[in-house]
Amino acid sequence: MKPTLLLLAAGMGSRYGGLKQLDGLGPNGETIMDYSIYDAIKAGFGKIVFIIRKDFEEEFRTKILSKYEGHIPAELCFQSLDALPEGFTCPAERVKPWGTNHAVLMAKDIVKEPFCVINCDDFYNRDAFMVMGKFLAELPEGCTDTYSMVGYRVGNTLSENGTVARGVCSKDENGNLTTVVERTEIMRIDGKVSYKDEQGEWVAIEDNTPVSMNVWGFTPDYFEHSEEYFKEFLADPKNMENLKAEFFIPLMVNKLINEGTSTVKVLDTTSKWFGVTYAADRDGVVERIQQLIDEGVYPKELF
């Protein structure tokens, strides 16, 4: 069974003009998301599923979904604040979404095969989709609790225009993830990749240190784990009182690893990530995409 690509796109609004997710960076106005989908098709993915908000469904179908017709099956599902388990009610004052793993949960009735989750506004590069697609396609039928994450080499994920936030990963002798620690300030200092620790000190790390860029591989049983843990998350009064508390993918993954329920294989990639973290990054991204077109990696027109 071909794996599915699940794109987290609920952060988009109905006003497309100033949103980086839909900023035309390719020569014909292609978005970063278009390149991800093109790469996923090349890597053998059989379907794409977008998580969006219901309020811009019609515009999304017209402007986005229509371009993929004839290339790959595409479906939509919707994230909303009141999509909660029975017995729970969203606080009236809450406006912030419930987080990335809540978004993933919205696809539980649509996705029945191994799937990869990505952000829609990061340029991941084709090798990341190739290694993830291969891992998911080779899982035995009915396999559970054997997950994966593409571990980018931190030196391939930096911005020339400031610090970046990355989940710095540790793995065991079998290549399985043991921890993900969010480091909010990472940059190159005197030629060495360094992060700022809790004491405000800069700590140097190797260029090849794996970091999470939110490229996760799961099987459908992950939805069951997420449903159960989301109930625990909501039952904790501090998560209901804190109107900004979010149910993140790493929160769920860390719980499953620490309990010994699941394993997460860290998949190495030579891919170089890039994205528009800062406004000053945009021109560089446009240039790099054009360079990839000039090298024959991508056609001038994707779809």
Side-chain angles (χ1 to χ4, degrees), residues 80-144:
S80 62
L81 289 174
D82 57 1
L84 300 178
E86 191 174 343
F88 295 96
T89 305
C90 181
E93 321 85 70
R94 188 176 178 105
V95 294
K96 191 172 184 63
W98 288 102
T100 51
N101 212 52
H102 177 252
V104 170
L105 259 176
M106 299 303 99
K108 70 181 189 299
D109 294 329
I110 292 178
V111 177
K112 304 297 182 186
E113 55 281 318
F115 63 100
C116 171
V117 181
I118 65 166
N119 297 333
C120 65
D121 55 352
D122 287 305
F123 195 104
Y124 290 112
N125 231 298
R126 187 170 306 157
D127 185 66
F129 293 98
M130 297 299 286
V131 297
M132 177 60 79
K134 182 175 186 292
F135 179 89
L136 295 175
E138 290 178 353
L139 289 174
E141 190 173 345
C143 180
T144 61

Side-chain angles (χ1 to χ4, degrees), residues 247-268:
F247 185 47
F248 291 119
I249 295 170
L251 187 71
M252 181 76 252
V253 168
N254 275 323
K255 175 180 168 65
L256 294 171
I257 290 172
N258 292 335
E259 289 175 347
T261 302
S262 311
T263 59
V264 178
K265 183 71 72 177
V266 179
L267 307 175
D268 182 42

Side-chain angles (χ1 to χ4, degrees), residues 223-242:
F223 294 122
E224 297 167 32
H225 294 311
S226 297
E227 280 187 307
E228 289 308 306
Y229 191 37
F230 192 41
K231 291 174 187 174
E232 288 183 39
F233 178 90
L234 294 171
D236 186 336
K238 75 173 186 292
N239 289 328
M240 277 300 208
E241 291 163 10
N242 177 3

